Amino acid sequence: MPIAKTIAEQLGRGSWVRRMFEDGLKLKRERGEENVFDYTLGNPDVEPPAPVLEALERVVARRRPRSHGYMPNAGYPEVREAIAAELRHNTGVEFTASDVVVTVGAAGACNVILEALLDSGDEVIVLRPSFPEYAFYINNHRGRVVPVETDATFLPDVERIAAAITPRTRAIMLNTPNNPTGRVYPESVLRELNALLAKVPQAITVISDEPYKAIVFDGKRQPEVSSLIAPTAICNSWSKSQALSGERIGYLALSPRLPDLPDLRSACGFANRILGFVNAPAIWQWVMLEAAAATVDISGYEHKRNLLCDALSAIGYEVTRPEGTFYLFLKTPIPDDTAFVQRLAAEGVLAVPGIGFGKAGYIRLSLTIPTDYIQRSIVGFERAFAAVKAEASQSAKGRR
Ligand SMILES: Cc1ncc(COP(=O)(O)O)c(C=O)c1O
């Protein structure tokens, strides 16, 4: 039985991730785990905050009757109200419990809102470089991806976005703090985008994917997207902020400033059900009622950012410090990022090529690697840099 052409084609496009993973396994077998410096996976390497684990223990010990059964598809009403109250407090926007759907992570939230919004052939603007899964999510829901390049500093370019809008545009995926670039979009850009959306004739929803919102460095904060952009649907989770990526708990929050809100609320609750999620995990909803505000200590990520950025700058790499997330998007010393990834792999350093995020000439490095691995990997970065520079100067001489 052949698999569907669409999924076969998507498997093909996603194959660089598989290749990285397989190359990594092979390298670890050959050299030993401790000699391979794996910067590929964005899986938090810290434990969840103590208040979260304590709340989990309390919830389990309480043995509340029937707390493991089905519930309303959008989640327990008191949990939705607690999320709405937190959003009201943080954003100044009057979110209510009815605007919230508790979801299977931020990924679940993105899929729910896309299912609710898209008809076949509807367009969704994706700002490149971007989280590669967006294209698959949009495809899941019959949509068409419209890629729009960010500016030279990886901020949204509102003029380019304006030029990409057509009568079929239904949504824009916005992700700040951004994976892979580590950029934190400033208030001014968000305001500009809001002004643009107020001018266009049709309703366009900004899908604000915010799972890294709590991970911003240098004592700064991510400006609240939903305070600044009226038609916002927030997709958030505790995957990164509480290091719970395997537990699959997050939420979708529809700004009360979105048009046709009653229909949209019903569509999202229904989408959560028919996509097969049915509802988000029950136990974790109860935990979030007690510990939603806790966050992991981000100083470890900030320390590793400084360590790696300083070391790479000293070697001669062109480094832009990430302002948030736990990724560094590093310019490669040669334009061919996949060739440079191979070069680094020969030194035991595993990275993801920028082309996987729609931007050649860069690699993504995840700071979820232990500090001592960063320290021991620097020599590999140094050798790879020296090797490609030497080759470039050889070939320049050859041309003369
Ligand atoms: C930008 C972005 N959005 C969404 C997700 C998915 O988050 P979750 O695990 O909460 O579904 C990730 C995970 O890496 C991500 O990087």
Side-chain angles (χ1 to χ4, degrees):
M1 180 78 174
I3 60 169
K5 287 190 208 70
T6 316
I7 206 84
E9 188 266 327
Q10 293 190 24
L11 275 169
R13 266 195 285 144
S15 71
W16 56 268
V17 183
R18 278 212 318 269
R19 213 173 71 207
M20 288 309 310
F21 182 69
E22 280 154 21
D23 285 0
L25 285 181
K26 188 161 159 271
L27 213 57
K28 284 173 191 170
R29 271 196 305 273
E30 283 167 11
R31 301 187 179 197
E33 289 268 346
E34 68 289 358
N35 299 315
V36 177
F37 311 105
D38 190 346
Y39 284 93
T40 59
L41 259 191
N43 201 13
D45 65 333
V46 291
E47 291 307 315
V52 175
L53 298 178
E54 286 156 16
L56 175 63
E57 283 168 13
R58 280 197 303 276
V59 165
V60 172
R62 206 169 283 144
R63 299 203 170 212
R64 188 174 172 142
R66 289 176 300 287
S67 63
H68 302 283
Y70 289 128
M71 68 191 78
N73 300 129
Y76 290 117
E78 49 274 69
V79 177
R80 295 164 70 199
E81 172 48 35
I83 293 169
E86 179 74 12
L87 286 171
R88 285 196 295 274
H89 177 258
N90 290 342
T91 67
V93 179
E94 288 300 311
F95 286 91
T96 66
S98 312
D99 302 321
V100 175
V101 179
V102 194
T103 59
V104 173
C110 290
N111 276 278
V112 164
I113 184 71
L114 289 166
E115 173 73 2
L117 289 176
L118 300 185
D119 275 314
S120 182
D122 280 346
E123 295 171 3
V124 181
I125 291 176
V126 173
L127 307 178
R128 293 271 166 87
S130 74
F131 181 50
E133 303 297 285
Y134 291 152
F136 301 126
Y137 299 167
I138 292 163
N139 194 70
N140 283 345
H141 308 288
R142 316 159 289 272
R144 212 169 72 73
V145 176
V146 177
V148 172
E149 290 298 309
T150 48
D151 71 13
T153 66
F154 296 132
L155 289 181
D157 183 325
V158 176
E159 271 179 34
R160 279 189 204 144
I161 295 173
I165 291 175
T166 77
R168 296 296 310 260
T169 309
R170 297 285 282 137
I172 301 175
M173 302 296 309
L174 201 81
N175 169 224
T176 179
N178 185 267
N179 173 15
T181 66
R183 287 245 49 185
V184 171
Y185 297 170
E187 207 174 303
S188 55
V189 173
L190 301 173
R191 281 191 194 285
E192 246 187 281
L193 187 54
N194 186 50
L196 168 69
L197 296 179
K199 277 191 298 203
V200 296
Q202 81 267 40
I204 297 178
T205 302
V206 167
I207 300 178
S208 179
D209 184 27
E210 308 181 353
Y212 299 95
K213 186 155 166 266
I215 309 178
V216 176
F217 305 133
D218 306 311
K220 300 204 173 118
R221 283 176 67 97
Q222 168 65 57
E224 293 289 345
V225 174
S226 62
S227 308
L228 299 163
I229 299 182
T232 295
I234 299 172
C235 299
N236 206 342
S237 73
W238 290 276
S239 297
K240 323 284 175 180
S241 61
Q242 295 192 354
L244 291 174
S245 45
E247 300 296 355
R248 313 308 303 133
I249 183 77
Y251 64 85
L252 168 70
L254 304 168
S255 168
R257 298 192 287 173
L258 279 164
D260 304 317
L261 192 61
D263 284 351
L264 192 55
R265 286 173 179 156
S266 312
C268 290
F270 182 64
N272 210 28
R273 171 176 134 210
I274 65 168
L275 290 175
F277 301 129
V278 183
N279 54 250
I283 284 235
W284 285 99
Q285 294 198 38
W286 293 125
V287 174
M288 288 313 151
L289 194 55
E290 300 184 22
T295 55
V296 295
D297 177 7
I298 64 162
S299 64
Y301 294 134
E302 187 160 353
H303 173 71
K304 288 193 274 188
R305 174 201 66 166
N306 293 342
L307 179 71
L308 185 60
C309 287
D310 291 348
L312 294 174
S313 295
I315 294 168
Y317 286 91
E318 242 180 80
V319 178
T320 306
R321 272 172 198 254
E323 301 159 279
T325 73
F326 39 59
Y327 304 110
L328 167 60
F329 205 51
L330 179 69
K331 192 158 192 219
T332 46
I334 49 171
D336 186 342
D337 51 320
T338 48
F340 194 67
V341 161
Q342 296 305 324
R343 179 66 73 168
L344 280 173
E347 302 295 340
V349 177
L350 302 177
V352 186
I355 196 70
F357 305 92
K359 186 76 185 170
Y362 287 81
I363 52 174
R364 192 194 72 174
L365 302 169
S366 172
L367 299 169
T368 55
I369 181 173
T371 307
D372 66 309
Y373 276 62
I374 294 183
Q375 283 158 336
R376 289 187 296 114
S377 71
I378 299 303
V379 62
F381 281 106
E382 198 161 9
R383 284 208 204 104
F385 186 88
V388 296
K389 288 289 176 191
E391 276 164 22
S393 87
Q394 276 297 330
S395 69
K397 268 189 210 147
R399 279 200 300 277
R400 263 187 235 134

